[in-house]
Amino acid sequence: MIGERIKQARKAAGLSMRQLAEKTGVSAMAISKYEHNKNTPSSTVLLALSQALDVRVDYFFRQSKVVLRDVEYRKHPKLSKKILSKIEGDVIEQVERYLMLEEILPTNPISRFTLPKGLKSRVESYDDIEDIANTFRREWKLGCNPVPDLTDTLEERGIKVFLSGVLHGEKFDGLAAKVDDAPVIVVDKYKPGDRQRFTLAHELGHLALQGRLADNLDEEKAAHRFAGAFLVPAKEAIKELGKSRSWLEPAELHVLKHTYGFSMRGWIYRASDLGILNRHAARKMWDYFRANNWVETEPGEQLPPEQPKLFKQLVFHALAEDLIGDSKAAELLAMPIVEFRKLRMVEASEQTTANQ
Ligand SMILES: [Zn+2]
């Protein structure tokens, strides 16, 4: 069983047996034997493997029950199999730690994901999606204000959100999958916050729209529309921009981006979808954005990436209630114990200052 774990970590690191052999100084033959459970690595070898594969030693002893189902990649056209298994390996490892924590906590504070009540059962046009998004906002009691922490908002409702660094540099925004029946969304850890939030809302859109779309509607386009409508309700967009505009100032869009965590490009799409910009005006905006090279990287200060807090919070909760010790907490957070102790101390000193 330790064999499967070594193999899983090796795949997650994107290494061949030979490459792992080179990094550890153990022969490829020996690694093959470990992976097939024909030989058991010594503690020295385990340490070398853990360093080469960037996992903690306890990773090898964990029993994996996690299977990712219905994996769907966003913007994936030509990702190699190697990259894909690297991503999946990383996600499975994160899910495992999540489930481990859920088992430790006596009552799971995270509810099971269910769709909100009262969703329109049939979506006949893209405009119908506004209503679906509004239902989510209403049932989830989000009001019409900007959603500050989208990651935590989704996690509290039973969608597991993971940030992964292994996607970075690939033409890739994220993926959606299921573990047991719980939806899982993974986004690139290093993308600007507005990109991450759009991916999260887009994937939520897929969950929301599944089985509701009329045949003539494109599912990707529909999920995009949902993302826009969920992040900036139509009423708010009109309140911010007005009913009809001929041009939107980039500096105006930049302010709105930071208020709503919604990209400048997103605002242009939103304004076209809602008829605030007519076709001609929208084309003018896009020409301007393209001419300035703002389509891939938007100008000005970038929106900071999302910072999920829930998992960390629950680990410290378990620690405070003596359900786990330092070393288990460090394992759950996938960090060396020394680093964990620093983290714990910093949080304690912040607490003290806050209380004074
Ligand atoms: Zn999609």
Side-chain angles (χ1 to χ4, degrees):
M1 122 210 162
I2 198 168
E4 280 102 68
R5 300 297 287 171
I6 295 172
K7 186 173 172 187
Q8 200 178 323
R10 178 174 62 78
K11 295 244 157 162
L15 297 175
S16 66
M17 281 194 196
R18 188 186 300 266
Q19 287 166 321
L20 181 57
E22 277 163 19
K23 285 187 93 165
T24 50
V26 180
S27 73
M29 177 69 92
I31 287 172
S32 165
K33 282 189 179 162
Y34 299 146
E35 289 192 3
H36 291 98
N37 293 312
K38 288 190 181 134
N39 200 350
T40 313
S42 67
S43 54
T44 325
V45 171
L46 272 179
L47 197 62
L49 289 171
S50 82
Q51 278 160 358
L53 297 170
D54 198 22
V55 293
R56 291 168 47 105
V57 171
D58 39 43
Y59 172 90
F60 297 122
F61 297 99
R62 228 184 276 156
Q63 227 158 354
S64 179
K65 294 161 280 186
V66 176
V67 182
L68 286 188
R69 287 190 305 110
D70 306 339
V71 180
E72 292 193 40
Y73 295 90
R74 224 158 93 58
K75 287 202 182 168
H76 65 102
K78 287 179 205 89
L79 284 183
S80 68
K81 245 185 123 181
K82 194 172 143 186
I83 296 284
L84 294 183
S85 67
K86 204 169 153 177
I87 294 164
E88 286 185 31
D90 182 45
V91 174
I92 287 174
E93 197 275 329
Q94 296 197 52
V95 175
E96 279 169 7
R97 285 188 280 115
Y98 211 108
L99 298 182
M100 199 153 61
L101 178 63
E102 281 186 346
E103 272 171 26
I104 290 164
L105 294 168
T107 49
N108 190 348
I110 304 156
S111 46
R112 225 185 144 68
F113 176 74
T114 47
L115 287 171
K117 285 192 201 98
L119 284 184
K120 212 180 200 8
S121 60
R122 204 68 199 134
V123 173
E124 303 288 351
S125 73
Y126 293 114
D127 288 337
D128 282 352
I129 295 169
E130 299 287 330
D131 187 68
I132 302 264
N134 287 337
T135 307
F136 267 82
R137 283 214 166 226
R138 192 178 62 237
E139 292 296 312
W140 286 7
K141 301 191 169 55
L142 299 174
C144 351
N145 298 325
V147 183
D149 289 299
L150 188 52
T151 304
D152 287 339
T153 302
L154 297 181
E155 294 221 306
E156 278 160 16
R157 282 155 184 99
I159 298 177
K160 293 184 167 64
V161 177
F162 299 103
L163 304 184
S164 175
V166 303
L167 320 174
H168 202 59
E170 306 295 330
K171 276 229 168 273
F172 195 83
D173 274 82
L175 71 82
K178 289 215 166 109
V179 171
D180 296 328
D181 274 325
V184 169
I185 305 176
V186 185
V187 295
D188 185 342
K189 193 176 181 170
Y190 303 110
K191 285 260 158 70
D194 52 316
R195 288 280 288 268
Q196 296 175 330
R197 288 164 60 87
F198 194 84
T199 301
L200 291 171
H202 173 99
E203 296 302 341
L204 180 62
H206 279 300
L207 293 170
L209 298 168
Q210 209 169 40
R212 286 171 217 279
L213 285 185
D215 291 343
N216 60 330
L217 300 181
D218 176 63
E219 202 183 321
E220 277 308 289
K221 225 173 136 182
H224 279 334
R225 178 66 178 262
F226 176 90
F230 179 75
L231 291 167
V232 185
K235 252 167 94 181
E236 292 306 295
I238 291 166
K239 197 180 92 193
E240 298 288 0
L241 300 175
K243 273 194 181 143
S244 172
R245 296 284 298 272
S246 52
W247 178 252
L248 303 169
E249 273 300 315
E252 177 188 6
L253 296 179
H254 187 251
V255 172
L256 288 170
K257 165 176 166 166
H258 283 267
T259 311
Y260 284 82
F262 189 59
S263 69
M264 295 165 72
R265 290 162 55 237
W267 278 96
I268 303 178
Y269 277 121
R270 198 80 188 109
S272 323
D273 284 341
L274 298 172
I276 297 168
L277 288 174
N278 66 25
R279 197 174 291 218
H280 171 73
R283 194 176 310 132
K284 229 171 57 183
M285 294 290 320
W286 286 121
D287 285 346
Y288 191 75
F289 265 61
R290 266 189 294 269
N292 283 290
N293 255 327
W294 288 348
V295 177
E296 257 317 296
T297 309
E298 298 194 342
E301 194 195 327
Q302 300 295 316
L303 195 77
E306 288 270 298
Q307 297 281 356
K309 296 172 203 78
L310 192 58
F311 187 78
K312 205 192 271 180
Q313 181 193 328
L314 293 176
V315 169
F316 281 107
H317 183 136
L319 186 72
E321 295 301 320
D322 279 333
L323 298 166
I324 52 172
D326 271 16
S327 111
K328 192 72 183 177
E331 182 187 352
L332 287 166
L333 294 170
M335 52 171 63
I337 187 96
V338 187
E339 217 177 291
F340 170 77
R341 293 208 168 111
K342 266 193 242 161
L343 178 72
R344 189 181 184 184
M345 248 170 52
V346 170
E347 304 225 332
S349 65
E350 270 175 5
Q351 190 83 44
T352 331
T353 337
N355 286 343
Q356 277 165 358

